[in-house]
């Protein structure tokens, strides 16, 4: 476990992230943190896949894990190239998950529950990066947080669209 | 032998040299036809649906329907367009008068010079001609070869309906049915859009010819539940009916019902040749007695297979028995049609759930093939706060209880959430139980997946529909009993990828309705756990639906599947079509073809 991620775990109950923000001194720190978070999601989905009661739900969670690995790889590419670009585009927020009840990360989740879980995780990550962005002065760090927030927003939209298409078909 | 006159005539012709010419002075000057002259054809390709009515009416066989580059075959469009042969055309204009879309017209142009005779066979609207934009030509305003108005179906008045569960549609009389059948132009464009590809023009002609026995046979060729479909079919055929372009579409569903209702049920077996069916040695098991299972059983039995249907509930019919309200589909119709299968020798084992009373392994081993038509019975949850409170119900449970003769407690103010047929059924049943009903739907009326007539029925019965409303929480009292529902108003945002617009909540638009019950009806999914992990590992399921090939065969060789758990259209006629296809697929497998 790297230093930044350890700090994140230590301070994750700090609602305003004021303590956490002090742990980030460079873009490297931030990217390490973001990569760790993606890995955390991979681990969660792999666990849920292993515990899934049906092969179909196992495949769903494995596909979620594969998506998170993709996100992690993207961040690692940014880390190795040292280049990232904040696209000047508002990502659509359908706000589907805003009013849905929380889902616990337990065995036996349905496809609907799995999508809710995924949407909520992506939204939480988005909120975290937006919050962190407001708390740094360094333009480079701010831009990186905004980029990460935008990434998470895209990930959430992908799950929202699936929810809208499959679960909300008659709604 | 040459006559003397023949020798002299070239010289005598010189006598005409001083006569005044009878030809026009300037053959190239314009001499337009009369304004309503029947000249060369034009066709608006974008309006034409290739129904071929023009080809059918042409006595001279001057029109052929041909494929055209850039025009694709799709729902409601054959992809063909008329080609006119002026070597045969007599310019009678019947083709124009009968054109169902009004796309085929005639210009008033009548001159066309070409040395190549093949030029005079051309596709109007595709092969560009100088008269393509000519506005003058054959017109007969207000004249039509067929009646654009549908024969009205008699229904119970809304105020009568909401007091009971009596069937609300009364059905056509012989005279009404024949009059309606007379409107059909027999283009057959409806056949492709019917999931079961029923011979619609054939059975409508049988009504015109008063040959209902033939009509019944044609119905059963592709659909063993015509009385049910004649009442509750989603009638995709009518959506594409060619005469529906300029008038009302033909009442195909009601005409089907007319045939099935008019032939005495006692005569069905004899007419259909089901009195003596071959009894083969091979035995097929069917899981689920819904429309797809019943359909598979019927066709398998006619092919000579022994058939046993395993049904978890106490009655057959699946969603038609437990989901569709009795004012749309009376119980006796259901029992009558399904009862015929028992007379055909199909064995029913009710209250027998696979995975509980009988293991799937046993079934798979003991039978030569298995068909699975288990439907979608697990509701999607609203997943909003307090959804599990007392007074918050799921529509499919509610409808089942009512059809079982129970009276669920819903109080006097009900909100139904959803925009599909299940939501409409739940709303209309609640109304019949005496409640004031509101439907909340996240999108717009035009986005509702429900049949338009169901929406209209709701409105007639005084059900209030609130669109662009996103439920956010069920409100409860201190005893966790429903007292209201909160929703946010929504604005529609377009989908960049061309999908249906998405509702986006408007912040601060919270609205509360006081209600005594909330009924969720946003959709269902399949429950396949009864198969067990070992079989599920082998079964290919994608996005909640079993993947099958064109024979309805799943990734497990002897297992075939159909109905809602396979196709996304989720209606009775698609399930029936699946059952028929599966029966043919099973026959191929067992015959080793």
């Amino acid at each position: 476990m790297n230093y930044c991620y350890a700090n994140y775990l230590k301070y994750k109950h700090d609602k305003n992230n004021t303590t956490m923000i002090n742990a980030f001194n460079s873009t490297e720190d931030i990217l390490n943190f973001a990569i760790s978070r993606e890995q955390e999601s991979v681990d969660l989905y792999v666990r849920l896949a292993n515990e899934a009661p049906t092969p179909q739900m196992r495949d769903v969670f494995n596909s979620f894990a594969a998506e998170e690995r993709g996100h992690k790889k993207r961040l690692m590419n940014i880390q190795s190239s040292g280049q990232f670009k904040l696209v000047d585009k508002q990502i659509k927020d359908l706000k589907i998950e805003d009013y849905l009840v929380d889902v616990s990360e337990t065995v036996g989740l349905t496809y609907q529950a799995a999508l809710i879980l995924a949407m909520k995780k992506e939204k939480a990550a988005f909120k975290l990066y937006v919050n962190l962005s407001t708390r740094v002065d360094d333009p480079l760090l701010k831009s990186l947080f905004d980029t990460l927030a935008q990434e998470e927003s895209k990930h959430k939209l992908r799950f929202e669209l699936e929810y809208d298409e499959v679960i909300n078909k008659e709604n | 032998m040459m006559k003397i006159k023949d020798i002299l005539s070239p010289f005598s012709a010189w006598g005409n040299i001083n006569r005044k010419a009878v030809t026009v002075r300037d053959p190239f000057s314009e001499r337009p036809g009369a304004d309503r002259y029947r000249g060369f054809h034009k066709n608006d390709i974008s309006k034409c649906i290739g129904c071929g009515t023009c080809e059918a009416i042409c006595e001279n066989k001057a029109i052929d329907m041909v494929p055209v580059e850039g025009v694709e075959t799709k729902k409601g469009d054959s992809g063909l367009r008329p080609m006119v042969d002026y070597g045969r055309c007599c310019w009678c204009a019947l083709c124009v008068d009968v054109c169902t879309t009004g796309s085929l017209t005639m210009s008033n142009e009548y001159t066309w010079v070409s040395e190549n005779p093949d030029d005079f066979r051309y596709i109007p609207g595709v092969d560009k001609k100088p008269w393509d934009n000519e506005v003058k030509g054959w017109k007969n305003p207000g004249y039509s070869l067929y009646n654009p108005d549908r024969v009205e179906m008699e229904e119970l008045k809304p105020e009568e309906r909401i007091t009971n569960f009596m069937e609300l549609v009364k059905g056509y009389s012989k005279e009404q049915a024949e009059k309606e059948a007379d409107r059909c132009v027999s283009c057959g464009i409806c056949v492709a859009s019917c999931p079961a590809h029923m011979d619609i023009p054939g059975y409508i002609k049988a009504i015109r010819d008063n040959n209902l026995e033939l009509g019944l046979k044609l119905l059963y060729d592709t659909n063993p539940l015509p009385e049910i479909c004649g009442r509750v079919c989603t009638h995709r055929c009518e959506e594409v009916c060619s005469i529906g372009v300029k008038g009302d579409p033909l009442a195909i569903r009601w005409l089907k019902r007319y045939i099935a209702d008019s032939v005495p049920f006692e005569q069905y077996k004899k007419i259909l040749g089901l009195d003596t069916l071959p009894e083969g040695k091979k035995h097929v098991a069917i899981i689920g007695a819904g429309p797809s299972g019943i359909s598979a059983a019927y066709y398998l039995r006619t092919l000579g297979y022994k058939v046993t249907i395993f049904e978890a509930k106490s009655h057959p019919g699946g969603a038609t028995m437990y989901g569709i309200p009795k004012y749309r589909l009376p119980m006796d119709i259901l029992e009558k049609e399904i009862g015929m299968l028992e007379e055909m020798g199909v064995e029913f084992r009710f209250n027998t759930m696979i995975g509980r009373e009988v293991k799937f392994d046993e079934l798979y081993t003991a039978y030569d093939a298995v068909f699975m038509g288990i439907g979608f019975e697990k509701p999607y949850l609203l997943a909003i706060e307090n959804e599990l409170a007392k007074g918050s119900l799921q529509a499919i449970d509610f409808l089942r209880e009512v059809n079982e003769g129970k009276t669920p407690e819903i109080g006097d103010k009900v909100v139904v959430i959803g925009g599909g047929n299940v939501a409409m059924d739940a709303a209309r049943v609640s109304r019949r139980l005496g409640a004031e009903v509101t439907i909340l739907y996240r999108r717009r009326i035009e986005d509702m997946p429900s049949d338009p007539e169901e929406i209209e029925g709701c409105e007639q019965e005084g059900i209030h529909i609130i669109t662009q409303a996103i439920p956010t929480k069920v409100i409860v009292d201190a005893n966790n009993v429903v007292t209201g529902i909160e929703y946010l108003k929504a604005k529609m945002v377009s989908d960049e990828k061309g999908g249906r617009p998405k509702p986006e909540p408007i912040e601060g638009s919270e609205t509360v309705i006081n209600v005594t019950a909330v009924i969720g009806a946003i959709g269902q999914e399949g429950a396949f756990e009864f198969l067990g992990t070992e079989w599920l590992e082998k079964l290919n399921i994608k996005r909640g639906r079993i993947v099958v090939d064109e024979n309805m065969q799943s990734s497990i060789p002897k297992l075939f599947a159909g109905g809602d758990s396979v196709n996304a259209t989720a209606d009775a006629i698609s399930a029936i079509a699946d059952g028929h296809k599966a029966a043919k697929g099973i026959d191929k497998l067992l015959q080793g073809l």
Side-chain angles (χ1 to χ4, degrees):
Chain A
M1 190 182 292
N2 62 53
Y3 168 75
C4 290
Y5 191 57
N7 269 334
Y8 160 66
L9 292 178
K10 192 171 163 189
Y11 303 125
K12 72 177 180 182
H13 299 298
D14 171 11
K15 280 189 179 173
N16 294 322
N17 312 122
T18 40
T19 322
M20 192 199 300
I21 202 74
N22 297 328
F24 299 128
N25 297 314
S26 64
T27 55
E28 186 69 15
D29 285 348
I30 295 168
L31 284 167
N32 277 335
F33 168 71
I35 289 166
S36 307
R37 277 186 62 89
E38 297 296 352
Q39 184 57 47
E40 189 192 25
S41 297
V42 172
D43 295 343
L44 169 70
Y45 292 134
V46 167
R47 176 172 70 76
L48 290 173
N50 291 336
E51 293 169 354
T54 64
Q56 285 66 41
M57 281 312 296
R58 180 195 60 207
D59 294 346
V60 165
F61 285 121
N62 278 333
S63 73
F64 286 7
E67 288 207 22
E68 298 299 336
R69 283 193 196 98
H71 303 160
K72 182 183 164 188
K73 195 176 168 194
R74 215 172 135 83
L75 295 174
M76 289 170 82
N77 286 342
I78 293 175
Q79 196 174 39
S80 59
S81 66
Q83 290 182 338
F84 61 91
K85 193 179 168 193
L86 180 62
V87 182
D88 187 20
K89 188 185 173 193
Q90 184 77 30
I91 306 297
K92 199 181 281 178
D93 181 5
L94 299 178
K95 298 179 181 158
I96 289 179
E97 64 78 42
D98 288 11
Y99 308 98
L100 300 180
V101 288
D102 283 338
V103 170
S104 57
E105 298 161 5
T106 52
V107 287
L109 291 181
T110 61
Y111 186 53
Q112 182 181 16
L115 285 173
I116 295 173
L117 177 73
M119 284 190 291
K120 287 200 174 278
K121 278 185 68 62
E122 302 294 354
K123 183 67 176 256
F126 165 79
K127 279 184 180 167
L128 173 70
Y129 291 129
V130 168
N131 194 358
L132 291 174
S133 170
T134 59
R135 289 170 182 281
V136 292
D137 295 325
D138 183 337
L140 185 68
L141 297 187
K142 189 180 268 299
S143 178
L144 181 54
F145 279 131
D146 288 343
T147 305
L148 291 170
Q150 198 173 49
E151 282 293 314
E152 298 299 343
S153 195
K154 276 190 222 163
H155 305 163
K156 183 176 78 81
L157 182 62
R158 136 92 182 86
F159 289 117
E160 277 190 328
L161 290 174
E162 176 72 1
Y163 195 91
D164 192 62
E165 179 69 26
V166 179
I167 313 297
N168 276 339
K169 195 176 169 195
E170 294 189 14
N171 190 17
Chain B
M1 191 178 167
M2 188 174 272
K3 294 177 182 171
I4 188 73
K5 189 183 169 193
D6 296 334
I7 295 166
L8 295 177
S9 59
F11 300 101
S12 60
W14 284 100
N16 295 324
I17 199 162
N18 292 321
R19 287 179 62 185
K20 192 177 177 187
V22 292
T23 54
V24 290
R25 196 174 290 274
D26 175 8
F28 298 106
S29 66
E30 289 277 323
R31 287 174 301 132
D35 286 358
R36 293 175 63 235
Y37 194 80
R38 297 196 293 257
F40 299 118
H41 291 79
K42 302 182 293 174
N43 194 13
D44 182 343
I45 291 298
S46 60
K47 250 167 86 177
C48 179
I49 56 172
C51 69
T53 313
C54 48
E55 181 190 41
I57 205 167
C58 182
E59 291 282 344
N60 298 325
K61 310 285 178 212
I63 294 181
D64 284 319
M65 297 303 290
V66 294
V68 164
E69 204 182 318
V71 178
E72 300 297 324
T73 303
K74 60 183 183 203
K75 197 175 151 192
D77 187 343
S78 69
L80 305 175
R81 295 294 180 263
M83 181 170 74
V84 184
D85 179 352
Y86 286 120
R88 289 173 171 270
C89 179
C90 67
W91 282 271
C92 68
L94 272 177
C95 53
V96 173
D97 290 343
V98 84
C99 177
T100 56
T101 61
S103 69
L104 192 66
T105 52
M106 277 173 151
S107 69
N108 69 339
E109 182 57 58
Y110 63 96
T111 56
W112 180 5
V113 179
S114 173
E115 288 180 357
N116 183 0
D118 286 340
D119 282 353
F120 297 103
R121 289 171 76 235
Y122 86 114
I123 307 170
V126 173
D127 301 328
K128 298 298 169 203
K129 297 292 172 201
W131 52 82
D132 282 347
N133 296 318
E134 178 57 65
V135 288
K136 288 177 182 169
W138 173 241
K139 282 180 187 65
N140 202 350
Y143 173 74
S144 177
L145 277 178
Y146 48 85
N147 185 353
D149 301 322
R150 174 184 281 205
V151 174
E152 209 174 318
M153 172 58 75
E154 207 180 331
E155 291 183 355
L156 289 180
K157 291 191 173 68
E159 57 274 18
E160 287 176 80
R161 288 182 211 163
I162 57 171
T163 59
N164 59 61
F165 281 81
M166 273 172 63
E167 187 174 18
L168 57 89
V169 172
K170 294 192 174 172
Y172 278 149
S173 66
K174 182 173 187 290
E175 188 192 11
Q176 287 174 316
E178 285 175 358
K179 191 176 171 197
E180 180 63 10
D182 262 347
R183 297 173 63 230
C184 179
V185 291
S186 296
C187 67
I189 210 146
C190 46
V191 177
S193 72
C194 170
H197 304 309
M198 297 187 76
D199 181 2
I200 298 164
Y203 70 71
I204 289 176
K205 183 174 183 300
I207 296 174
R208 283 202 298 267
D209 297 344
N210 194 26
N211 188 351
L212 298 188
E213 288 192 8
L214 173 65
L216 190 79
K217 280 185 200 164
L218 292 174
L219 294 181
Y220 269 82
D221 276 350
T222 46
N223 182 348
L225 298 170
E227 277 195 272
I228 292 175
C229 277
R231 286 168 168 79
V232 300
C233 185
T234 44
H235 53 93
R236 292 157 202 277
C237 48
E238 292 178 23
E239 286 170 22
V240 298
C241 176
S242 60
I243 63 164
V245 176
K246 287 199 293 183
D248 296 331
L250 201 75
I252 299 170
R253 177 174 53 168
W254 301 145
L255 291 174
K256 179 163 51 216
R257 169 182 166 156
Y258 167 73
I259 296 175
D261 283 359
S262 302
V263 177
F265 188 68
E266 309 72 57
Q267 293 175 20
Y268 270 37
K269 273 178 71 188
K270 193 177 167 214
I271 293 167
L272 300 170
L274 303 173
D275 278 334
T276 48
L277 287 168
E279 190 65 66
K281 286 183 182 163
K282 293 196 170 159
H283 202 160
V284 181
I286 291 178
I287 307 172
S292 68
I294 295 288
S295 171
Y298 176 87
Y299 292 110
L300 283 165
R301 192 64 205 91
T302 57
L303 289 167
Y305 292 98
K306 281 195 259 184
V307 180
T308 301
I309 301 182
F310 295 86
E311 169 56 53
K313 298 195 179 71
S314 58
H315 288 83
T320 53
M321 171 66 82
Y322 292 100
I324 298 179
K326 296 305 142 205
Y327 61 85
R328 284 175 66 200
L329 181 61
M331 193 78 82
D332 59 327
I333 301 292
L334 209 54
E335 285 172 347
K336 198 168 72 171
E337 250 178 1
I338 294 171
M340 195 170 77
L341 267 88
E342 280 179 318
E343 291 180 32
M344 287 167 66
V346 173
E347 183 196 2
F348 282 88
R349 287 175 63 180
F350 295 115
N351 301 309
T352 308
M353 187 176 173
I354 304 304
R356 190 179 63 195
E357 277 78 27
V358 180
K359 294 272 172 277
F360 182 75
D361 288 50
E362 294 166 30
L363 207 68
Y364 195 78
T365 313
Y367 290 83
D368 296 291
V370 179
F371 174 81
M372 191 161 86
I374 56 170
F376 266 13
E377 294 199 341
K378 201 159 100 184
Y380 286 131
L381 300 174
L382 299 169
I384 57 175
E385 210 178 318
N386 300 324
E387 189 183 10
L388 301 178
K390 196 174 173 210
S392 174
L393 316 167
Q394 288 299 329
I396 58 162
D397 299 332
F398 168 69
L399 292 171
R400 189 192 59 243
E401 284 185 26
V402 173
N403 277 2
E404 285 172 345
K406 298 173 190 160
T407 312
E409 271 184 43
I410 53 169
D412 58 359
K413 272 191 111 179
V414 172
V415 70
V416 177
I417 296 163
N421 279 340
V422 174
M424 302 303 128
D425 286 343
R428 297 178 77 180
V429 166
S430 300
R431 191 81 184 100
R432 281 160 177 74
L433 294 178
E436 192 182 298
V437 184
T438 302
I439 293 174
L440 288 188
Y441 182 54
R442 297 168 74 245
R443 302 167 209 264
R444 304 163 301 175
I445 286 270
E446 58 264 44
D447 301 317
M448 280 185 162
S450 167
D451 294 343
E453 69 219 23
E454 288 299 312
I455 300 167
E456 197 183 326
C458 282
E459 286 168 342
Q460 288 169 350
E461 290 166 16
I463 293 163
H464 183 40
I465 301 176
I466 303 178
T467 53
Q468 291 174 242
I470 300 176
T472 49
K473 115 177 31 157
V474 175
I475 298 168
V476 294
D477 64 13
N479 298 316
N480 200 31
V481 175
V482 171
T483 60
I485 184 130
E486 181 193 89
Y487 68 91
L488 280 172
K489 289 175 185 158
K491 61 178 178 190
M492 302 305 290
V493 291
S494 60
D495 181 5
E496 289 163 7
K497 290 182 181 164
R500 58 181 180 168
K502 316 283 180 207
E504 206 180 280
I506 300 167
E507 276 183 42
S509 65
E510 287 86 353
T511 310
V512 172
I513 317 176
N514 295 326
V515 293
T516 48
V518 173
I519 302 179
I522 65 165
Q524 294 100 244
E525 62 180 328
F528 306 110
E529 292 81 2
F530 72 91
L531 289 168
T533 309
E534 201 181 314
W535 288 104
L536 280 172
E537 287 283 0
K538 296 176 190 161
L539 188 60
N540 188 4
I541 297 175
K542 272 194 185 150
R543 291 178 100 189
R545 289 195 152 87
I546 302 168
V547 179
V548 293
D549 65 10
E550 68 279 8
N551 295 315
M552 311 309 287
Q553 191 171 17
S554 76
S555 50
I556 299 172
K558 275 166 53 184
L559 179 65
F560 292 70
D564 292 2
S565 57
V566 168
N567 75 64
T569 47
D571 59 8
I573 189 68
S574 304
I576 287 165
D578 286 354
H580 191 183
K581 266 192 266 178
K584 288 192 263 188
I586 291 169
D587 186 43
K588 266 193 208 170
L589 176 81
L590 299 183
Q591 298 267 359
L593 300 173

